[in-house]
Amino acid sequence: MAHTRTEADAGEPTLARIQSLPSWLLNRASARGRRLVSDALAQDGMRMPHHAVLSAVADLGPVAQAELGRTTGFDPKDMVGILNELQAKELITRAPDPSDRRKNAITLTDEGRRRLDRLTRLGDEANEALLSALSPAERRLFLDLLARVVDEG
């Protein structure tokens, strides 16, 4: 007679074991973090890709659209939509690149800079909420350990 594996055989329920794995916990923490940041940015009528692109333009601008896509990792079709939305809100400008008139140079407007500052504050508050259960020392250790895990990949 064949013996089937039971929870008692394993010593621990299968689902409980899966839910204690680092990959499971990191995924759950990541989902919670995305939800908190997404909800925070939505208070200002924005989404996470808007924040990422505004941040990249602030760091790199004026920047070619293709370079912006490579830097942020967004698909070119998605980048066009994001830039259209940001331009419609007058947060960026697109102008011919003086060094190559075939390309557009993306630049933050003054309102784009102000909006980026607000989004950064909202994102910081959301990340504060994400780590609110940890003491300052635990937060530093947690972030150091996460960075090491990420750097291994």
Side-chain angles (χ1 to χ4, degrees):
M1 179 161 91
H3 179 69
T4 58
R5 182 181 166 177
T6 65
E7 289 180 1
D9 293 334
E12 182 177 4
T14 303
L15 183 57
R17 181 184 175 291
I18 289 171
Q19 291 174 334
S20 69
L21 293 172
S23 54
W24 178 278
L25 293 169
L26 285 169
N27 184 54
R28 300 287 296 171
S30 176
R32 181 168 180 259
R34 280 192 310 276
R35 186 176 59 255
L36 287 168
V37 172
S38 183
D39 290 351
L41 300 182
Q43 294 175 36
D44 204 44
M46 302 295 275
R47 295 179 293 114
M48 289 174 25
H50 296 130
H51 188 204
V53 169
L54 288 174
S55 295
V57 172
D59 287 347
L60 304 170
V63 60
Q65 186 169 317
E67 182 181 350
L68 193 55
R70 284 189 299 275
T71 301
T72 60
F74 291 119
D75 180 270
K77 292 181 297 250
D78 294 333
M79 180 58 72
V80 169
I82 294 165
L83 292 174
N84 286 344
E85 292 167 358
L86 293 173
Q87 188 171 16
K89 294 176 188 270
E90 299 182 350
L91 304 179
I92 61 158
T93 59
R94 288 188 246 194
D97 188 328
S99 64
D100 185 346
R101 310 285 293 164
R102 297 169 297 169
K103 298 179 181 177
N104 279 327
I106 314 298
T107 308
L108 280 184
T109 64
D110 289 341
E111 179 56 27
R113 174 79 53 197
R114 284 189 291 276
R115 181 67 67 92
L116 176 58
D117 290 343
R118 282 196 307 271
L119 295 174
T120 299
R121 182 181 47 76
L122 290 168
D124 288 348
E125 290 170 1
N127 277 284
E128 177 72 23
L130 176 64
L131 299 181
S132 64
L134 304 178
S135 71
E138 289 171 328
R139 289 175 194 203
R140 284 189 298 278
L141 177 60
F142 180 68
L143 292 172
D144 288 346
L145 293 171
L146 275 178
R148 283 176 45 196
V149 169
V150 169
D151 288 343
E152 284 296 312

